[in-house]
Amino acid sequence: SHSHNPNIATLASARKMTAASTKHSKRRHSATKEATPLQSNEKFSDMVTILDDQDDMAVLDMPLSIYDSTHDDDKSLSTDENGPPMTSDEATKLHFDIYGRKSMLEEIADERMTALQREIGRIPQTERAALLKAHQNNPVLFESSAHTKIFLQSSSSSEPFDPKEAARKLARYWTKREEMFGERAFSDGAFTSPTYNDYLRYYAKCEKAVLDCELDDTMRSIARDYITCVNTTKLIALDQVIENHAAMEDSAAYLKVVQRRGVIMSDEMKLLFLKREDFFEVKAAARIMAYWKFKKLLFGEEEYHKDVTLDVIDTDRNRFVRLLPETDDSGRTIMVICVNELEKDGWTDNSIGRYYWYVVHAAMERKSCRENGLVVLLNYKGGSRELSEKISSVRQLCRSILFECMPIHFRISHLFLEPSAHWHWWLILSLVSKISSIIQKKIVIHTGNDHQHRREMARYYGIGAGQFPIDLGGDVDLDLTWSVWLEKRRAEGL
């Protein structure tokens, strides 16, 4: 059975993570300007904010890519010659968002780490006691320890990596260290100070570890304890931030919801906001406030505190944004936006904004979206400069809903244009001029034909024909599947 009383070191590590995030946030905040808050003006053209480089966002220096048949796996990761080089952590995150998988070197390192931890669990208890003590005193040991990294890299073309031998060496190292230094071998000063990304990586690996039946009970228990400690510590920190800013105008909508419902947002929902902001509680609190304030502007004083159902949504333009029934190969939810649906009149920014809010929330109901994020397919085929100008304000509205309000990890946007569209450079410039640099680096532009789209999306991005709409060259009839989905939701009162 698993104890729900995590040890002192695990709790201390979680608190250090909170302290590290606060320190990191304050340091970057002093060097950058504040993010633009949502405006209170009721006009949507004024209400929508233009995303700026956020305080704690990693600025990934990748130029906008034009995807074509000569594209290779590393093309989107090239750096801007006029900008600073990316850090390894930034490059890793960008690669994962674009391709849905880590780089080959990162995947090898993860596989070795998993194999190492499994072999540690097979070592007799007496032989690994010192190693487990070190791990319990420093839960991030495997992420930040130079000794662990040395053992993980101990391989060559003639001698491949041996996880069993590496586990034994690591166990012997800590046994000898304890023999030489006693309790001092496990003191705080004996460990390399983890970076904030070390904490994040370890948390992500703990989420996988608790489901890994090949890990022994002790290793899984340490992983469960760490997740519990981080979640608890961060939720307390988030509540404190919200309480400290209760008097601020941006908090009014959230606090009114609390008063009307008589309950505070669930811990599960708060954790989504925390994970969306890499556990930076200040940024998570700002996103929560933006969420409720924006919902109030969309749905009004009498409706915004209620759950949104199709009864209050205009679905006349339901082909504008839809969800594909299947995920991509990385388990990410796919959303398709067809701008031509707004060619005809009969809609307003408010009606489209409410419908978009509803669909994004429906995406968030999916476990695949909450855990793995969202991929967006932007279909501008057959569009025009006039149409792009017509939908400018609603486009900014949708950006703000996704990028500033929702607790969803936006991964990548694929923009599809006609090969001969003479106006597409104007569109590209208008798009990237009003989004943050980090979002710009997650845009891939496709100007080929449907056959090329079908081949390239499957080959590079893990979206096969069975996960891709007919309009863009795939096999999925969204007109049929989406109509059925809407009717089912309506019948269930959702």
Side-chain angles (χ1 to χ4, degrees), residues 6-23 135-141 188 194-196 198-200 202-203 206 222-238 271 274 278-281:
N7 63 50
I8 299 298
T10 305
L11 183 57
S13 180
R15 287 172 176 165
K16 287 178 181 177
M17 180 180 177
T18 298
S21 67
T22 303
K23 181 178 179 181
H135 190 199
Q136 288 169 339
N137 277 273
N138 180 18
V140 199
L141 177 71
D188 284 346
T195 66
Y196 192 70
D198 287 334
Y199 287 116
L200 293 176
Y202 182 63
Y203 183 95
C206 283
I222 292 173
R224 279 192 293 264
D225 284 347
Y226 188 76
I227 290 173
T228 299
C229 284
V230 169
N231 289 352
T232 302
T233 304
K234 284 294 186 178
L235 285 169
I236 292 172
L238 175 61
L271 280 172
L274 281 165
D278 286 341
F279 286 99
F280 285 102
E281 57 269 16

Short mmCIF file of all heavy atoms in Angstrom, two decimals, residues 6-23 135-141 188 194-196 198-200 202-203 206 222-238 271 274 278-281:
data_model
loop_
_atom_site.label_atom_id
_atom_site.label_comp_id
_atom_site.label_asym_id
_atom_site.label_seq_id
_atom_site.Cartn_x
_atom_site.Cartn_y
_atom_site.Cartn_z
N PRO A 6 4.10 11.96 2.34
CA PRO A 6 5.41 12.05 1.69
C PRO A 6 6.47 12.52 2.67
O PRO A 6 6.20 13.24 3.61
CB PRO A 6 5.18 13.07 0.57
CG PRO A 6 3.96 13.82 0.96
CD PRO A 6 3.13 12.88 1.74
N ASN A 7 7.72 12.05 2.41
CA ASN A 7 8.78 12.40 3.35
C ASN A 7 9.13 13.88 3.27
O ASN A 7 8.75 14.59 2.35
CB ASN A 7 10.01 11.51 3.12
CG ASN A 7 10.62 11.73 1.74
OD1 ASN A 7 10.86 12.87 1.35
ND2 ASN A 7 10.87 10.65 1.02
N ILE A 8 9.89 14.33 4.27
CA ILE A 8 10.23 15.74 4.41
C ILE A 8 11.01 16.25 3.20
O ILE A 8 10.77 17.35 2.70
CB ILE A 8 11.04 15.97 5.69
CG1 ILE A 8 10.23 15.56 6.92
CG2 ILE A 8 11.46 17.43 5.80
CD1 ILE A 8 8.96 16.35 7.11
N ALA A 9 11.93 15.42 2.69
CA ALA A 9 12.76 15.86 1.57
C ALA A 9 11.93 16.08 0.31
O ALA A 9 12.16 17.03 -0.44
CB ALA A 9 13.85 14.82 1.30
N THR A 10 10.95 15.20 0.08
CA THR A 10 10.10 15.36 -1.09
C THR A 10 9.28 16.64 -1.00
O THR A 10 9.15 17.40 -1.96
CB THR A 10 9.14 14.15 -1.22
OG1 THR A 10 9.91 12.95 -1.25
CG2 THR A 10 8.32 14.25 -2.49
N LEU A 11 8.73 16.91 0.18
CA LEU A 11 7.96 18.14 0.39
C LEU A 11 8.86 19.36 0.23
O LEU A 11 8.47 20.36 -0.38
CB LEU A 11 7.32 18.13 1.77
CG LEU A 11 6.41 19.31 2.13
CD1 LEU A 11 5.28 19.42 1.11
CD2 LEU A 11 5.85 19.15 3.53
N ALA A 12 10.09 19.26 0.76
CA ALA A 12 11.03 20.38 0.64
C ALA A 12 11.38 20.63 -0.81
O ALA A 12 11.51 21.78 -1.25
CB ALA A 12 12.30 20.08 1.44
N SER A 13 11.51 19.56 -1.60
CA SER A 13 11.83 19.71 -3.02
C SER A 13 10.70 20.42 -3.74
O SER A 13 10.93 21.27 -4.61
CB SER A 13 12.07 18.33 -3.64
OG SER A 13 12.38 18.45 -5.01
N ALA A 14 9.45 20.07 -3.41
CA ALA A 14 8.30 20.74 -4.03
C ALA A 14 8.29 22.22 -3.68
O ALA A 14 7.98 23.07 -4.52
CB ALA A 14 7.01 20.07 -3.58
N ARG A 15 8.63 22.54 -2.42
CA ARG A 15 8.65 23.94 -2.01
C ARG A 15 9.79 24.69 -2.69
O ARG A 15 9.66 25.86 -3.01
CB ARG A 15 8.79 24.02 -0.48
CG ARG A 15 7.49 23.62 0.24
CD ARG A 15 7.68 23.53 1.73
NE ARG A 15 6.39 23.25 2.38
CZ ARG A 15 6.29 22.84 3.64
NH1 ARG A 15 7.38 22.65 4.37
NH2 ARG A 15 5.11 22.61 4.16
N LYS A 16 10.90 24.01 -2.90
CA LYS A 16 12.01 24.63 -3.62
C LYS A 16 11.59 24.97 -5.05
O LYS A 16 12.01 25.97 -5.62
CB LYS A 16 13.23 23.71 -3.64
CG LYS A 16 13.96 23.61 -2.30
CD LYS A 16 15.12 22.63 -2.40
CE LYS A 16 15.84 22.50 -1.05
NZ LYS A 16 16.93 21.50 -1.12
N MET A 17 10.78 24.08 -5.65
CA MET A 17 10.29 24.34 -7.00
C MET A 17 9.45 25.61 -7.02
O MET A 17 9.57 26.44 -7.92
CB MET A 17 9.46 23.15 -7.49
CG MET A 17 8.90 23.32 -8.90
SD MET A 17 7.92 21.88 -9.39
CE MET A 17 7.35 22.42 -11.01
N THR A 18 8.59 25.79 -6.01
CA THR A 18 7.78 27.00 -5.91
C THR A 18 8.66 28.23 -5.73
O THR A 18 8.46 29.26 -6.37
CB THR A 18 6.79 26.90 -4.74
OG1 THR A 18 5.91 25.80 -4.97
CG2 THR A 18 5.97 28.16 -4.60
N ALA A 19 9.66 28.10 -4.85
CA ALA A 19 10.57 29.23 -4.63
C ALA A 19 11.35 29.56 -5.89
O ALA A 19 11.56 30.72 -6.23
CB ALA A 19 11.53 28.90 -3.49
N ALA A 20 11.75 28.51 -6.63
CA ALA A 20 12.51 28.73 -7.87
C ALA A 20 11.67 29.43 -8.91
O ALA A 20 12.14 30.33 -9.62
CB ALA A 20 13.02 27.39 -8.41
N SER A 21 10.38 29.06 -8.99
CA SER A 21 9.51 29.71 -9.98
C SER A 21 9.27 31.16 -9.62
O SER A 21 9.24 32.03 -10.48
CB SER A 21 8.18 28.96 -10.08
OG SER A 21 7.43 29.09 -8.89
N THR A 22 9.10 31.44 -8.32
CA THR A 22 8.89 32.82 -7.88
C THR A 22 10.11 33.68 -8.15
O THR A 22 10.03 34.79 -8.67
CB THR A 22 8.55 32.85 -6.38
OG1 THR A 22 7.41 32.04 -6.15
CG2 THR A 22 8.27 34.28 -5.92
N LYS A 23 11.28 33.14 -7.82
CA LYS A 23 12.54 33.86 -8.04
C LYS A 23 12.76 34.10 -9.52
O LYS A 23 13.13 35.20 -9.94
CB LYS A 23 13.69 33.07 -7.45
CG LYS A 23 15.06 33.74 -7.60
CD LYS A 23 16.14 32.89 -6.95
CE LYS A 23 17.51 33.54 -7.09
NZ LYS A 23 18.58 32.71 -6.49
N HIS A 135 18.03 9.34 -3.25
CA HIS A 135 16.87 9.72 -4.08
C HIS A 135 15.75 10.31 -3.22
O HIS A 135 15.10 11.27 -3.61
CB HIS A 135 16.37 8.49 -4.84
CG HIS A 135 15.36 8.81 -5.89
ND1 HIS A 135 14.51 7.87 -6.43
CD2 HIS A 135 15.04 9.98 -6.50
CE1 HIS A 135 13.73 8.44 -7.32
NE2 HIS A 135 14.03 9.71 -7.38
N GLN A 136 15.54 9.72 -2.05
CA GLN A 136 14.49 10.23 -1.17
C GLN A 136 14.86 11.60 -0.60
O GLN A 136 13.98 12.43 -0.36
CB GLN A 136 14.24 9.23 -0.05
CG GLN A 136 13.53 7.97 -0.53
CD GLN A 136 13.50 6.87 0.50
OE1 GLN A 136 14.31 6.85 1.42
NE2 GLN A 136 12.56 5.94 0.35
N ASN A 137 16.16 11.85 -0.40
CA ASN A 137 16.60 13.15 0.09
C ASN A 137 16.61 14.20 -1.01
O ASN A 137 16.52 15.39 -0.73
CB ASN A 137 18.00 13.04 0.71
CG ASN A 137 17.96 12.57 2.15
OD1 ASN A 137 17.82 13.35 3.08
ND2 ASN A 137 18.04 11.26 2.34
N ASN A 138 16.75 13.74 -2.24
CA ASN A 138 16.75 14.65 -3.38
C ASN A 138 15.99 14.00 -4.53
O ASN A 138 16.58 13.34 -5.38
CB ASN A 138 18.18 14.98 -3.81
CG ASN A 138 18.22 15.94 -4.99
OD1 ASN A 138 17.25 16.62 -5.29
ND2 ASN A 138 19.34 15.98 -5.68
N PRO A 139 14.64 14.17 -4.57
CA PRO A 139 13.83 13.49 -5.59
C PRO A 139 14.24 13.80 -7.02
O PRO A 139 13.97 13.01 -7.93
CB PRO A 139 12.41 14.02 -5.30
CG PRO A 139 12.44 14.37 -3.85
CD PRO A 139 13.82 14.90 -3.60
N VAL A 140 14.90 14.94 -7.25
CA VAL A 140 15.30 15.32 -8.61
C VAL A 140 16.71 14.80 -8.92
O VAL A 140 17.35 15.25 -9.85
CB VAL A 140 15.23 16.86 -8.79
CG1 VAL A 140 15.18 17.24 -10.27
CG2 VAL A 140 13.99 17.42 -8.12
N LEU A 141 17.17 13.85 -8.12
CA LEU A 141 18.53 13.33 -8.25
C LEU A 141 18.86 12.88 -9.67
O LEU A 141 19.90 13.23 -10.22
CB LEU A 141 18.72 12.15 -7.28
CG LEU A 141 20.08 11.44 -7.33
CD1 LEU A 141 21.15 12.34 -6.73
CD2 LEU A 141 20.01 10.12 -6.58
N ASP A 188 22.14 18.64 1.83
CA ASP A 188 21.73 19.47 0.68
C ASP A 188 22.93 19.94 -0.13
O ASP A 188 22.88 20.00 -1.37
CB ASP A 188 20.94 20.69 1.17
CG ASP A 188 19.52 20.32 1.56
OD1 ASP A 188 19.10 19.20 1.20
OD2 ASP A 188 18.85 21.13 2.22
N PRO A 194 19.17 21.76 -8.67
CA PRO A 194 18.39 21.57 -9.90
C PRO A 194 17.98 22.90 -10.52
O PRO A 194 17.75 23.88 -9.81
CB PRO A 194 17.16 20.78 -9.42
CG PRO A 194 17.49 20.32 -8.04
CD PRO A 194 18.45 21.31 -7.47
N THR A 195 17.87 22.94 -11.82
CA THR A 195 17.28 24.10 -12.49
C THR A 195 15.77 23.94 -12.47
O THR A 195 15.24 22.87 -12.14
CB THR A 195 17.75 24.19 -13.95
OG1 THR A 195 17.21 23.06 -14.68
CG2 THR A 195 19.27 24.17 -14.04
N TYR A 196 15.05 25.01 -12.80
CA TYR A 196 13.60 24.91 -12.81
C TYR A 196 13.13 23.90 -13.85
O TYR A 196 12.16 23.16 -13.62
CB TYR A 196 12.97 26.28 -13.09
CG TYR A 196 11.50 26.30 -12.82
CD1 TYR A 196 11.00 26.21 -11.52
CD2 TYR A 196 10.58 26.36 -13.87
CE1 TYR A 196 9.64 26.20 -11.27
CE2 TYR A 196 9.22 26.35 -13.62
CZ TYR A 196 8.76 26.27 -12.31
OH TYR A 196 7.41 26.25 -12.06
N ASP A 198 14.68 21.22 -14.60
CA ASP A 198 14.88 19.89 -14.00
C ASP A 198 13.64 19.46 -13.23
O ASP A 198 13.20 18.32 -13.30
CB ASP A 198 16.10 19.90 -13.07
CG ASP A 198 17.42 19.95 -13.81
OD1 ASP A 198 17.47 19.50 -14.97
OD2 ASP A 198 18.42 20.42 -13.22
N TYR A 199 13.09 20.41 -12.45
CA TYR A 199 11.88 20.11 -11.71
C TYR A 199 10.73 19.74 -12.64
O TYR A 199 10.00 18.78 -12.40
CB TYR A 199 11.46 21.32 -10.87
CG TYR A 199 12.31 21.61 -9.66
CD1 TYR A 199 13.05 22.79 -9.57
CD2 TYR A 199 12.37 20.71 -8.59
CE1 TYR A 199 13.83 23.07 -8.45
CE2 TYR A 199 13.14 20.99 -7.47
CZ TYR A 199 13.86 22.17 -7.41
OH TYR A 199 14.62 22.43 -6.30
N LEU A 200 10.58 20.50 -13.73
CA LEU A 200 9.49 20.24 -14.68
C LEU A 200 9.66 18.88 -15.35
O LEU A 200 8.69 18.13 -15.51
CB LEU A 200 9.42 21.35 -15.73
CG LEU A 200 9.02 22.74 -15.25
CD1 LEU A 200 9.09 23.73 -16.40
CD2 LEU A 200 7.61 22.72 -14.65
N TYR A 202 11.29 16.32 -14.21
CA TYR A 202 11.08 15.24 -13.24
C TYR A 202 9.59 15.04 -12.96
O TYR A 202 9.12 13.90 -12.85
CB TYR A 202 11.82 15.55 -11.93
CG TYR A 202 11.68 14.45 -10.91
CD1 TYR A 202 12.19 13.17 -11.16
CD2 TYR A 202 11.01 14.66 -9.71
CE1 TYR A 202 12.05 12.15 -10.25
CE2 TYR A 202 10.87 13.64 -8.78
CZ TYR A 202 11.39 12.39 -9.05
OH TYR A 202 11.24 11.37 -8.15
N TYR A 203 8.84 16.12 -12.87
CA TYR A 203 7.40 16.00 -12.65
C TYR A 203 6.76 15.22 -13.81
O TYR A 203 5.93 14.32 -13.59
CB TYR A 203 6.77 17.40 -12.54
CG TYR A 203 5.29 17.39 -12.24
CD1 TYR A 203 4.84 17.49 -10.93
CD2 TYR A 203 4.35 17.29 -13.26
CE1 TYR A 203 3.47 17.49 -10.64
CE2 TYR A 203 3.00 17.27 -12.99
CZ TYR A 203 2.56 17.37 -11.69
OH TYR A 203 1.21 17.36 -11.41
N CYS A 206 7.59 11.65 -13.50
CA CYS A 206 6.84 11.03 -12.40
C CYS A 206 5.44 10.64 -12.84
O CYS A 206 4.93 9.59 -12.43
CB CYS A 206 6.77 11.99 -11.21
SG CYS A 206 8.28 12.10 -10.24
N ILE A 222 7.87 7.05 -4.66
CA ILE A 222 8.57 8.34 -4.65
C ILE A 222 7.96 9.26 -5.71
O ILE A 222 7.76 10.46 -5.47
CB ILE A 222 10.07 8.13 -4.91
CG1 ILE A 222 10.73 7.41 -3.72
CG2 ILE A 222 10.78 9.46 -5.16
CD1 ILE A 222 12.18 7.01 -3.96
N ALA A 223 7.63 8.70 -6.87
CA ALA A 223 7.03 9.49 -7.95
C ALA A 223 5.66 10.02 -7.53
O ALA A 223 5.33 11.20 -7.74
CB ALA A 223 6.91 8.67 -9.22
N ARG A 224 4.83 9.16 -6.93
CA ARG A 224 3.51 9.59 -6.48
C ARG A 224 3.61 10.69 -5.42
O ARG A 224 2.87 11.67 -5.44
CB ARG A 224 2.71 8.40 -5.93
CG ARG A 224 2.05 7.55 -6.99
CD ARG A 224 1.06 6.59 -6.38
NE ARG A 224 1.74 5.59 -5.55
CZ ARG A 224 2.08 4.39 -5.98
NH1 ARG A 224 1.83 4.04 -7.24
NH2 ARG A 224 2.67 3.53 -5.18
N ASP A 225 4.54 10.50 -4.49
CA ASP A 225 4.73 11.49 -3.43
C ASP A 225 5.13 12.84 -4.00
O ASP A 225 4.66 13.88 -3.55
CB ASP A 225 5.80 11.02 -2.43
CG ASP A 225 5.28 9.94 -1.50
OD1 ASP A 225 4.06 9.74 -1.45
OD2 ASP A 225 6.11 9.29 -0.82
N TYR A 226 6.01 12.82 -5.00
CA TYR A 226 6.48 14.08 -5.58
C TYR A 226 5.33 14.81 -6.28
O TYR A 226 5.16 16.03 -6.12
CB TYR A 226 7.61 13.83 -6.56
CG TYR A 226 8.26 15.11 -7.04
CD1 TYR A 226 9.13 15.81 -6.21
CD2 TYR A 226 7.97 15.64 -8.29
CE1 TYR A 226 9.71 17.00 -6.63
CE2 TYR A 226 8.54 16.83 -8.71
CZ TYR A 226 9.41 17.50 -7.88
OH TYR A 226 9.97 18.68 -8.29
N ILE A 227 4.53 14.08 -7.05
CA ILE A 227 3.39 14.69 -7.73
C ILE A 227 2.43 15.30 -6.71
O ILE A 227 1.96 16.43 -6.87
CB ILE A 227 2.65 13.65 -8.60
CG1 ILE A 227 3.53 13.26 -9.80
CG2 ILE A 227 1.31 14.19 -9.10
CD1 ILE A 227 2.97 12.12 -10.62
N THR A 228 2.14 14.54 -5.66
CA THR A 228 1.23 15.03 -4.62
C THR A 228 1.76 16.30 -3.97
O THR A 228 1.03 17.28 -3.76
CB THR A 228 1.02 13.95 -3.54
OG1 THR A 228 0.44 12.79 -4.14
CG2 THR A 228 0.09 14.45 -2.44
N CYS A 229 3.05 16.30 -3.65
CA CYS A 229 3.66 17.46 -2.98
C CYS A 229 3.65 18.69 -3.88
O CYS A 229 3.32 19.80 -3.43
CB CYS A 229 5.08 17.12 -2.56
SG CYS A 229 5.19 16.08 -1.11
N VAL A 230 4.03 18.52 -5.14
CA VAL A 230 4.06 19.66 -6.06
C VAL A 230 2.66 20.21 -6.26
O VAL A 230 2.44 21.43 -6.18
CB VAL A 230 4.69 19.25 -7.41
CG1 VAL A 230 4.47 20.35 -8.46
CG2 VAL A 230 6.18 19.00 -7.24
N ASN A 231 1.70 19.31 -6.51
CA ASN A 231 0.32 19.77 -6.73
C ASN A 231 -0.21 20.53 -5.52
O ASN A 231 -0.79 21.62 -5.65
CB ASN A 231 -0.59 18.59 -7.03
CG ASN A 231 -0.34 17.97 -8.39
OD1 ASN A 231 0.43 18.51 -9.19
ND2 ASN A 231 -0.96 16.85 -8.66
N THR A 232 -0.01 19.97 -4.33
CA THR A 232 -0.51 20.62 -3.11
C THR A 232 0.16 21.96 -2.88
O THR A 232 -0.50 22.97 -2.60
CB THR A 232 -0.27 19.69 -1.90
OG1 THR A 232 -0.92 18.45 -2.11
CG2 THR A 232 -0.81 20.33 -0.62
N THR A 233 1.49 21.98 -3.00
CA THR A 233 2.24 23.21 -2.76
C THR A 233 1.86 24.30 -3.75
O THR A 233 1.68 25.47 -3.38
CB THR A 233 3.75 22.93 -2.84
OG1 THR A 233 4.09 21.89 -1.93
CG2 THR A 233 4.56 24.17 -2.49
N LYS A 234 1.73 23.92 -5.01
CA LYS A 234 1.42 24.91 -6.04
C LYS A 234 -0.02 25.40 -5.94
O LYS A 234 -0.31 26.57 -6.22
CB LYS A 234 1.70 24.33 -7.43
CG LYS A 234 3.17 24.26 -7.78
CD LYS A 234 3.74 25.65 -7.89
CE LYS A 234 5.18 25.65 -8.36
NZ LYS A 234 5.71 27.02 -8.52
N LEU A 235 -0.95 24.53 -5.56
CA LEU A 235 -2.34 24.97 -5.40
C LEU A 235 -2.46 25.97 -4.25
O LEU A 235 -3.18 26.97 -4.35
CB LEU A 235 -3.24 23.76 -5.14
CG LEU A 235 -3.56 22.88 -6.36
CD1 LEU A 235 -4.22 21.59 -5.93
CD2 LEU A 235 -4.45 23.64 -7.35
N ILE A 236 -1.73 25.73 -3.16
CA ILE A 236 -1.72 26.67 -2.04
C ILE A 236 -1.14 28.01 -2.49
O ILE A 236 -1.67 29.08 -2.18
CB ILE A 236 -0.92 26.10 -0.86
CG1 ILE A 236 -1.65 24.89 -0.26
CG2 ILE A 236 -0.69 27.16 0.21
CD1 ILE A 236 -0.85 24.14 0.78
N ALA A 237 -0.03 27.94 -3.24
CA ALA A 237 0.60 29.18 -3.73
C ALA A 237 -0.32 29.94 -4.67
O ALA A 237 -0.40 31.18 -4.62
CB ALA A 237 1.92 28.84 -4.43
N LEU A 238 -1.03 29.21 -5.54
CA LEU A 238 -1.97 29.84 -6.48
C LEU A 238 -3.10 30.54 -5.73
O LEU A 238 -3.45 31.69 -6.03
CB LEU A 238 -2.53 28.80 -7.44
CG LEU A 238 -3.61 29.28 -8.42
CD1 LEU A 238 -3.08 30.37 -9.34
CD2 LEU A 238 -4.15 28.10 -9.24
N LEU A 271 -5.26 23.04 -11.57
CA LEU A 271 -4.04 22.36 -12.00
C LEU A 271 -3.84 22.48 -13.51
O LEU A 271 -2.70 22.55 -13.99
CB LEU A 271 -4.06 20.89 -11.59
CG LEU A 271 -3.68 20.60 -10.14
CD1 LEU A 271 -3.93 19.13 -9.80
CD2 LEU A 271 -2.21 20.95 -9.88
N LEU A 274 -2.27 25.77 -13.93
CA LEU A 274 -0.87 25.72 -13.46
C LEU A 274 0.02 25.01 -14.47
O LEU A 274 1.12 25.47 -14.79
CB LEU A 274 -0.80 25.02 -12.10
CG LEU A 274 -1.20 25.86 -10.89
CD1 LEU A 274 -1.44 24.96 -9.67
CD2 LEU A 274 -0.12 26.90 -10.57
N ASP A 278 3.46 26.14 -16.83
CA ASP A 278 4.66 25.50 -16.27
C ASP A 278 4.77 25.72 -14.76
O ASP A 278 5.86 25.90 -14.22
CB ASP A 278 5.93 25.99 -16.97
CG ASP A 278 6.08 25.42 -18.36
OD1 ASP A 278 5.44 24.39 -18.64
OD2 ASP A 278 6.82 26.00 -19.17
N PHE A 279 3.63 25.70 -14.09
CA PHE A 279 3.53 25.82 -12.63
C PHE A 279 3.98 27.18 -12.10
O PHE A 279 4.27 27.30 -10.92
CB PHE A 279 4.31 24.70 -11.94
CG PHE A 279 3.62 23.37 -12.02
CD1 PHE A 279 3.99 22.42 -12.96
CD2 PHE A 279 2.59 23.06 -11.15
CE1 PHE A 279 3.34 21.20 -13.04
CE2 PHE A 279 1.93 21.84 -11.22
CZ PHE A 279 2.31 20.91 -12.16
N PHE A 280 4.01 28.20 -12.94
CA PHE A 280 4.22 29.56 -12.44
C PHE A 280 2.87 30.06 -11.93
O PHE A 280 1.99 30.41 -12.71
CB PHE A 280 4.74 30.47 -13.56
CG PHE A 280 6.19 30.25 -13.89
CD1 PHE A 280 6.55 29.53 -15.01
CD2 PHE A 280 7.18 30.76 -13.07
CE1 PHE A 280 7.89 29.32 -15.32
CE2 PHE A 280 8.52 30.55 -13.37
CZ PHE A 280 8.88 29.84 -14.49
N GLU A 281 2.72 30.09 -10.62
CA GLU A 281 1.41 30.39 -10.05
C GLU A 281 0.93 31.81 -10.35
O GLU A 281 -0.28 32.04 -10.48
CB GLU A 281 1.42 30.16 -8.53
CG GLU A 281 2.46 30.93 -7.76
CD GLU A 281 3.77 30.15 -7.62
OE1 GLU A 281 3.97 29.17 -8.36
OE2 GLU A 281 4.58 30.54 -6.77
#
